[in-house]
Amino acid sequence: MNERCNLRCVYCMPEEGVDFLPSAELLTTDETERLISILAENGVRKIRFTGGEPLLHKEIARLVHHAASTADVNSVHLTTNGLLLERLAPQLFEAGLTGINISLDTLDHQKFVKITRREGLDKVLTGLRTVLDLSFPSVKLNVVFMRDFNHTEIGDFVELTREAPLTVRFIELMPFDAHQIWKTGKFLGAELIEEEIRLQYPEVEIDSGTATEQRLFRVPGYAGKVGIIPAFTRSLCGDCNRIRLTADGKIRNCLYSDDEFNLKALLRDSGSDRDIGREIRRAMWLKPEDGWAAQKLGDHHRESMTQIGG
Ligand code: SAM
Ligand code: SF4
């Protein structure tokens, strides 16, 4: 919904020289609202706003409100780096947001600057507290897990779930940045992440999670949960029914696919709701069997997750 960002995470965006699309190419708020309505008419029940940084969108609360008031949409979530949450969380709660995922890879100030190339850890932590105080129905922390970077912090993250009804999810690094830091040995697979959790918390119990969470654990007596997302090893693709809408109005039916279904062209060429609905259903039907199949088909010209909607 928005390619821009106020951080420059090393695995996501280059430090400088990002080619953003001209604003005339981006969907307007009216166009986005119309697409949300048509998506819902064609079977979409869950909406997630992501980006780029969705909280930089000037009308994010209006979009959340529209999605939350759309018939048949039963959950409206948002994935954010958390920097602007302290200020915006109350409006988003009022607008009907049902879940927030905050991305935070370290609890150490210096490492935060190293990974995001900006200051801001305190702001993110204040944002997290604000969200927990407002009692959003679902609050999750996304931690991209990297060898020799934050793997020593696993226990610190699990401890956040002791008091707070929060799900901390460790995510495998994916090969989606232009500089391919992925190739520098930082990748740590889901199996190893699980081994490490079990080593430190032998008493963990298995819990049930959403379709993307390979494993969900709970330390007995803790308020929250801990999950693992095999974003690269892709063992869960069979259960995935997601589609993504880019900021410039195109549908991607798999994170690993380069195929696009151009809804903006239909919108701006007087397409009817029916025409647009047909294209949405085509994107759903043509969803690749899994992320490996999708990757084989594409030519991989993407520079960053911000262009796909992470
Ligand atoms: N700016 C928001 C944020 O950071 O939460 C939303 C967009 S961001 C692209 C969505 C998620 O994708 C974040 O949790 C981020 O850590 C994750 N992400 C970005 N690049 C990634 C990569 N190469 N591998 C794994 N996760 C990645
Ligand atoms: Fe921005 Fe999110 Fe990408 Fe970090 S992961 S650069 S916060 S879009």
Side-chain angles (χ1 to χ4, degrees):
M1 66 165 316
N2 171 36
E3 290 187 324
R4 289 177 189 265
C5 193
N6 40 6
L7 294 181
R8 288 288 180 275
C9 301
V10 292
Y11 49 66
C12 183
M13 287 178 94
E15 188 158 17
E16 283 167 23
V18 191
D19 289 330
F20 293 116
L21 289 165
S23 57
E25 293 296 325
L26 304 178
L27 293 177
T28 63
T29 304
D30 286 344
E31 286 172 335
T32 310
E33 286 188 348
R34 179 166 171 218
L35 287 184
I36 289 171
S37 304
I38 303 174
L39 283 161
E41 280 159 21
N42 286 277
V44 171
R45 299 288 168 260
K46 294 184 177 179
I47 305 272
R48 172 177 300 281
F49 293 101
T50 173
E53 175 47 43
L55 299 189
L56 290 177
H57 191 292
K58 292 206 166 44
E59 296 189 283
I60 183 65
R62 176 179 149 192
L63 284 170
V64 166
H65 181 259
H66 176 84
S69 343
T70 299
D72 296 329
V73 168
N74 48 36
S75 91
V76 183
H77 288 205
L78 182 144
T79 302
T80 172
N81 61 33
L83 279 182
L84 299 172
L85 262 183
E86 184 187 13
R87 182 158 58 82
L88 293 175
Q91 302 174 36
L92 295 169
F93 187 74
E94 278 294 299
L97 192 70
T98 48
I100 295 199
N101 288 9
I102 302 176
S103 306
L104 178 63
D105 302 330
T106 177
L107 299 169
D108 175 283
H109 280 90
Q110 281 175 350
K111 285 188 186 172
F112 184 92
V113 175
K114 216 166 154 189
I115 194 104
T116 67
R117 303 193 183 103
R118 300 282 188 275
E119 297 284 345
L121 177 59
D122 289 334
K123 278 193 186 156
V124 180
L125 292 174
T126 312
L128 172 62
R129 268 194 299 277
T130 310
V131 165
L132 289 169
D133 288 347
L134 285 164
S135 301
F136 277 89
S138 160
V139 182
K140 298 184 180 181
L141 213 60
N142 286 352
V143 185
V144 176
F145 212 54
M146 288 163 282
R147 193 188 294 281
D148 297 329
F149 180 73
N150 58 1
H151 76 269
T152 50
E153 294 187 65
I154 205 159
D156 300 334
F157 278 108
V158 174
E159 282 313 303
L160 293 179
T161 70
R162 183 190 282 267
E163 306 288 341
L166 170 77
T167 302
V168 169
R169 307 182 321 160
F170 297 108
I171 301 177
E172 285 177 347
L173 185 62
M174 292 181 279
F176 288 156
D177 67 300
H179 299 301
Q180 294 280 280
I181 80 145
W182 190 79
K183 288 187 182 154
T184 60
K186 292 261 176 290
F187 177 78
L188 237 166
E191 300 301 329
L192 281 177
I193 301 175
E194 179 171 345
E195 236 175 79
E196 192 59 38
I197 294 174
R198 287 186 181 281
L199 206 66
Q200 295 194 31
Y201 294 89
E203 71 279 30
V204 284
E205 293 167 351
I206 303 275
D207 214 300
S208 58
T210 65
T212 46
E213 291 155 358
Q214 164 163 314
R215 289 253 194 285
L216 201 66
F217 306 102
R218 185 191 282 279
V219 182
Y222 282 27
K225 299 177 188 182
V226 179
I228 301 174
I229 304 198
F232 176 72
T233 47
R234 287 167 256 183
S235 47
L236 295 176
C237 292
D239 290 329
C240 171
N241 59 4
R242 291 183 178 196
I243 51 174
R244 295 179 154 75
L245 177 64
T246 62
D248 62 338
K250 293 166 183 161
I251 291 219
R252 298 261 186 156
N253 58 10
C254 174
L255 204 52
Y256 284 89
S257 163
D258 281 332
D259 281 352
E260 290 184 338
F261 300 80
N262 194 340
L263 302 190
K264 186 183 71 183
L266 287 170
L267 267 176
R268 294 193 180 171
D269 197 22
S270 323
S272 65
D273 287 9
R274 217 185 145 103
D275 297 334
I276 295 169
R278 198 175 302 123
E279 191 64 2
I280 291 170
R281 290 199 305 282
R282 203 167 74 84
M284 289 171 175
W285 286 325
L286 293 177
K287 215 169 145 50
E289 194 177 331
D290 59 30
W292 299 103
Q295 194 172 355
K296 272 194 209 130
L297 294 172
D299 55 2
H300 310 296
H301 54 264
R302 273 187 312 261
E303 295 275 290
S304 163
M305 284 275 280
T306 57
Q307 297 167 338
I308 322 166

